[in-house]
Amino acid sequence: MNHSEELMLNAYLDNELDVRETDRFLSWIDSNPKFKIRLEELQANKQLLKSAFDDEVSKTEIPGLCARMQLPELGQVAASLVFGVVLGIVSTNLHNLGGNDKETLGATNIAQTEKPLVIHLDKNDQALLKRTVEMAESALLAGANEQKPVEILTNANGLDLLDANSPYASQLTHLMKKYPNLRLVACTNGIARKLERGETVNLLPGIVQERSAIEHVVDRLQSGWSYLRI
Amino acid sequence: MKNKLAHLFGLNNELVEHICDSRDGLYRMARAWNADPALADDLVQETLDIALRKLDSLKDRQKIDAWLYRILFNQWQQFLRRKKPLELIDEEIKSPDQTPEQHTVCENLQAAVRLAIGELPERQRQVVTLVDLQGLSYNEVSQVLSIPVGTVMSRLSRARSALADKLQQYKNQQERVASTKGKLWRVK
């Protein structure tokens, strides 16, 4: 069998021939039994190759929109990727707080708008914990008259902010008493993962638990809240 | 959840669904290109992440599969370049979980097929898996790999011939093993 005959067999096998070519091919192969045998062999091998990987299923934790497993099963890294994707497709209500003064100033402005605000923290970094509390306080102060709802949403290592042993525990307790419109929210999935890792979780009293941080953010955004990621 | 986010960010639900549903297909492809499941997962994750972030760069929705596999291919090439910048890409891979004995004596047909694919030169392996595993057309494979359709056809033909030879060797081997089973041997 020469090279072009082999190419022709493959093209037929892969449905690459048009109607006229297929007709010509079929009459050609009818008169060449050895090509028929070769074609059958190629067909069988094609099927074998396809089925050789049938049992391969991805266990990939997919960023963002592809969470087949839903967020409960996504790990911390995947969760932060989720928010990365969320923030990568920025809408007007989404704000990512970086470290420089200009961004901080912008975030302060966001915190002081009239819209309800969800402040999201997913890291345990002293500077970020401090900034989260400051932003919340600033938003509460600005919206004191109209009782603007403000939430601090924590997941992954950001949950440490709401721990009873957090350096901000007493400040947060004080804020909650002073501002009934402040809600502190912990992601239940994040808590579950911490417990799985053998970590102790001892949250402050009055913390609200939500199953999935990302779904909570989505719900808030759909309800017209502003979102500030620390 | 997917719909919720897709709607929120103005993404096309159908395309997002398609990308998400392609995960296993991409993974199978990544596994066919390399034997390491963790690396395959990484490649797929990178691919999906890029696809979702750059969805608006997809010009023709009909070409979404070629576009997705092109991203996967680019990720794979990047990995190869990082891993072994001085080696030629066109080389065989060996499954790391195969011992030398297993290399010649395959436990079953599925393993034999996988091994045979792993032994193909990289460029042939890419073409044959894109066509047979994923069912891409020659034109799509040409777009994914940035090679002419004629080259796709040649590589595919060579890959299939090589696979046929390897699988024939395996069958012969199995027949030899089967023919020795059940025979009584007397020690002289």
Side-chain angles (χ1 to χ4, degrees):
Chain A
M1 187 174 307
N2 65 37
H3 185 58
S4 57
E5 288 166 341
E6 192 76 34
L7 293 182
M8 180 70 92
L9 283 175
N10 280 301
Y12 173 76
L13 182 65
D14 300 320
N15 289 322
E16 292 283 340
L17 301 180
D18 62 27
V19 179
R20 226 175 59 189
E21 288 168 333
T22 304
D23 281 346
R24 270 177 25 214
F25 173 84
L26 289 175
S27 37
W28 170 70
I29 203 164
D30 268 348
S31 53
N32 291 283
K34 67 172 184 178
F35 293 145
K36 250 186 185 167
I37 294 168
R38 176 67 176 159
L39 180 63
E40 283 166 6
E41 183 188 36
L42 287 172
Q43 272 168 336
N45 288 346
K46 183 180 171 92
Q47 194 49 46
L48 275 176
L49 193 155
K50 209 173 164 71
S51 56
F53 292 88
D54 272 352
D55 56 352
E56 291 289 354
V57 179
S58 173
K59 298 180 186 71
T60 317
E61 290 181 350
I62 304 301
L65 312 182
C66 277
R68 172 209 284 171
M69 298 171 273
Q70 302 297 321
L71 212 68
E73 292 172 61
L74 293 178
Q76 181 184 327
V77 173
S80 82
L81 276 169
V82 167
F83 289 106
V85 170
V86 166
L87 290 166
I89 315 164
V90 167
S91 84
T92 52
N93 286 342
L94 301 174
H95 308 278
N96 196 7
L97 180 50
N100 66 45
D101 292 343
K102 194 176 166 189
E103 284 172 327
T104 305
L105 185 63
T108 308
N109 291 338
I110 293 152
Q112 292 176 355
T113 61
E114 288 175 5
K115 281 185 179 178
L117 176 69
V118 55
I119 303 168
H120 172 219
L121 175 72
D122 63 359
K123 293 183 186 69
N124 179 0
D125 174 285
Q126 287 310 308
L128 297 182
L129 297 185
K130 183 168 180 274
R131 201 173 297 169
T132 302
V133 177
E134 283 172 359
M135 283 299 154
E137 195 162 9
S138 166
L140 288 163
L141 264 174
N145 288 341
E146 61 274 24
Q147 298 263 300
K148 179 175 87 171
V150 175
E151 283 183 347
I152 297 178
L153 169 67
T154 60
N155 71 319
N157 289 336
L159 284 165
D160 294 343
L161 175 69
L162 306 186
D163 196 274
N165 297 317
S166 153
Y168 297 94
S170 59
Q171 193 176 344
L172 287 172
T173 307
H174 170 72
L175 284 175
M176 272 201 291
K177 279 182 190 156
K178 188 173 174 186
Y179 299 102
N181 45 325
L182 171 66
R183 281 174 97 232
L184 304 182
V185 185
C187 171
T188 314
N189 303 322
I191 295 171
R193 277 191 293 275
K194 272 179 164 287
L195 293 173
E196 278 168 17
R197 291 197 297 267
E199 295 176 31
T200 313
V201 178
N202 179 22
L203 296 177
L204 285 166
I207 304 292
V208 181
Q209 294 192 16
E210 294 283 352
R211 193 173 64 89
S212 155
I214 182 71
E215 288 190 9
H216 186 71
V217 170
V218 170
D219 284 339
R220 288 304 189 218
L221 286 166
Q222 284 180 323
S223 310
W225 287 47
S226 285
Y227 170 71
L228 179 61
R229 189 188 183 205
I230 301 293
Chain B
M1 176 70 169
K2 280 185 286 192
N3 291 343
K4 219 174 185 182
L5 283 168
H7 171 74
L8 181 66
F9 299 116
L11 295 177
N12 181 299
N13 278 348
E14 242 173 78
L15 293 181
V16 171
E17 287 281 349
H18 188 93
I19 291 174
C20 295
D21 293 344
S22 301
R23 173 162 61 167
D24 286 341
L26 289 164
Y27 181 74
R28 279 192 278 273
M29 192 62 58
R31 287 287 277 125
W33 290 351
N34 88 92
D36 179 356
L39 174 59
D41 266 331
D42 286 349
L43 291 170
V44 172
Q45 178 141 357
E46 282 294 315
T47 300
L48 291 172
D49 190 28
I50 292 169
L52 288 168
R53 279 192 284 110
K54 299 190 174 175
L55 191 53
D56 52 356
S57 71
L58 174 64
K59 301 279 186 293
D60 182 351
R61 291 173 181 195
Q62 302 301 316
K63 293 181 178 172
I64 187 164
D65 281 331
W67 180 72
L68 271 177
Y69 284 87
R70 172 80 194 160
I71 297 172
L72 178 71
F73 174 70
N74 286 341
Q75 294 306 306
W76 173 232
Q77 293 301 295
Q78 273 181 27
F79 169 80
L80 290 176
R81 277 195 293 272
R82 281 198 302 268
K83 193 184 169 204
K84 38 184 181 176
L86 299 176
E87 290 177 38
L88 281 175
I89 286 172
D90 202 354
E91 61 165 35
E92 296 174 1
I93 59 160
K94 299 287 189 291
S95 174
D97 50 8
Q98 294 277 343
T99 63
E101 290 76 23
Q102 284 170 323
H103 191 67
T104 50
V105 184
C106 296
E107 283 177 6
N108 55 50
L109 186 55
Q110 189 191 44
V113 175
R114 283 179 174 225
L115 191 59
I117 293 165
E119 287 177 340
L120 289 175
E122 174 84 26
R123 289 168 184 161
Q124 290 180 25
R125 183 166 59 246
Q126 285 161 356
V127 171
V128 77
T129 49
L130 284 167
V131 173
D132 285 350
L133 262 186
Q134 186 50 35
L136 295 190
S137 68
Y138 293 176
N139 201 29
E140 286 172 321
V141 176
S142 145
Q143 290 163 20
V144 171
L145 303 177
S146 295
I147 53 175
V149 170
T151 309
V152 172
M153 294 174 74
S154 300
R155 286 185 190 173
L156 182 64
S157 172
R158 285 200 297 274
R160 283 179 172 161
S161 293
L163 273 177
D165 289 346
K166 288 171 196 292
L167 292 176
Q168 190 56 50
Q169 282 170 23
Y170 168 78
K171 284 172 195 162
N172 295 342
Q173 191 182 53
Q174 291 299 97
E175 280 168 12
R176 277 200 303 277
V177 172
S179 68
T180 57
K181 276 184 185 168
K183 283 185 179 173
L184 292 175
W185 299 89
R186 180 188 292 166
V187 179
K188 289 183 180 175

